[in-house]
Amino acid sequence: NAGVTQTPKFQVLKTGQSMTLQCAQDMNHNSMYWYRQDPGMGLRLIYYSASEGTTDKGEVPNGYNVSRLNKREFSLRLESAAPSQTSVYFCASSPPVGRNQPQHFGDGTRLSIL
Amino acid sequence: AQTVTQSQPEMSVQEAETVTLSCTYDTSENNYYLFWYKQPPSRQMILVIRQEAYKQQNATENRFSVNFQKAAKSFSLKISDSQLGDTAMYFCAFMKPSGGSNYKLTFGKGTLLTVNP
């Protein structure tokens, strides 16, 4: 059981380049999330998807787009990367029922924008 | 909006001793959930313990326990018999169900815990 899988694990981009971060979960979870983690800032929600076909903005959505391709996959796209988007990106998913079910996280993608 | 505050950016403890990490939060909700996540150097986010706000009993998971004070909006984590493998960043997180199957987490900024031999 792989859980939440993120690809790639590391990436270096030049300013202005585009990039899609991939995320897939095999736990039949309805909800999926993208976070970014910056030093001293904790994790901040970029976008989330409550179910297949729906997406909503989180706390820091500017500069990003997302696609919920199907129930398993939720991708994050940087159309024109900026140095301020240098961060570690985490994908997470949560089950459809259960009042206290935690989110399950992928291992993260370290993204550097030069 | 909910906020989560971890007032201790860094802490250290000797192996086998006990340490308590602090967390306070601000919310007007009555029904919510609280979590502690651990992030070791491997960068994985690992759930340590969870607490439902409607439960008065403090959650316990082996060496990890919480002191949940709902009126004070405080949710501290106690680690007993600290081990070298407990060295990690610890995040406190608040979750308010926002309808359907969507549960959004709000994280604190984290406390870096170092366990010394």
Side-chain angles (χ1 to χ4, degrees):
Chain A
N1 189 347
V4 179
T5 303
Q6 290 183 235
T7 55
K9 295 190 182 303
F10 302 94
Q11 186 69 48
V12 178
L13 294 177
K14 294 181 179 179
T15 298
Q17 287 185 317
S18 62
M19 169 85 190
T20 299
L21 307 185
Q22 306 288 351
C23 175
Q25 51 91 9
D26 61 3
M27 296 173 283
N28 199 36
H29 288 172
N30 277 15
S31 296
M32 298 185 73
Y33 311 82
W34 276 105
Y35 294 89
R36 62 177 288 173
Q37 183 180 21
D38 302 296
M41 296 294 291
L43 276 75
R44 293 182 292 170
L45 184 65
I46 305 171
Y47 270 93
Y48 63 96
S49 171
S51 61
E52 183 179 353
T54 67
T55 61
D56 286 285
K57 295 178 179 179
E59 182 183 354
V60 288
N62 291 344
Y64 305 95
N65 287 302
V66 290
S67 295
R68 184 72 183 269
L69 304 172
N70 47 55
K71 191 171 186 178
R72 291 187 63 250
E73 300 172 287
F74 187 40
S75 62
L76 178 72
R77 183 163 179 82
L78 288 70
E79 290 290 351
S80 179
S84 62
Q85 294 176 304
T86 293
S87 188
V88 179
Y89 292 84
F90 285 94
C91 178
S93 67
S94 61
V97 294
R99 294 173 296 171
N100 65 342
Q101 294 299 314
Q103 292 182 10
H104 299 257
F105 286 83
D107 289 342
T109 295
R110 184 176 294 277
L111 184 60
S112 296
I113 316 295
L114 305 178
Chain B
Q2 286 73 32
T3 59
V4 177
T5 302
Q6 294 179 248
S7 59
Q8 305 148 315
E10 295 186 35
M11 294 190 71
S12 62
V13 64
Q14 291 299 122
E15 195 174 7
E17 293 187 344
T18 295
V19 64
T20 298
L21 309 183
S22 300
C23 173
T24 58
Y25 56 93
D26 184 25
T27 185
S28 58
E29 301 292 330
N30 187 53
N31 182 30
Y32 52 87
Y33 311 96
L34 296 162
F35 304 89
W36 279 98
Y37 279 89
K38 167 185 176 181
Q39 187 180 41
S42 66
R43 211 172 61 201
Q44 289 179 299
M45 291 289 289
I46 302 167
L47 178 69
V48 175
I49 200 165
R50 73 190 80 176
Q51 176 80 43
E52 296 93 329
Y54 65 88
K55 288 187 177 180
Q56 292 185 340
Q57 185 174 5
N58 289 324
T60 298
E61 289 286 342
N62 300 314
R63 299 182 294 107
F64 299 88
S65 62
V66 299
N67 183 4
F68 174 48
Q69 301 291 328
K70 190 173 184 179
K73 298 180 183 177
S74 172
F75 183 60
S76 61
L77 174 69
K78 185 173 80 171
I79 306 174
S80 304
D81 186 25
S82 296
Q83 300 175 0
L84 296 178
D86 295 334
T87 292
M89 182 74 83
Y90 287 81
F91 292 99
C92 179
F94 172 99
M95 183 178 84
K96 176 183 79 71
S98 53
S101 62
N102 177 34
Y103 303 97
K104 292 188 286 184
L105 283 171
T106 300
F107 286 88
K109 294 184 178 181
T111 296
L112 179 61
L113 176 67
T114 302
V115 180
N116 299 309

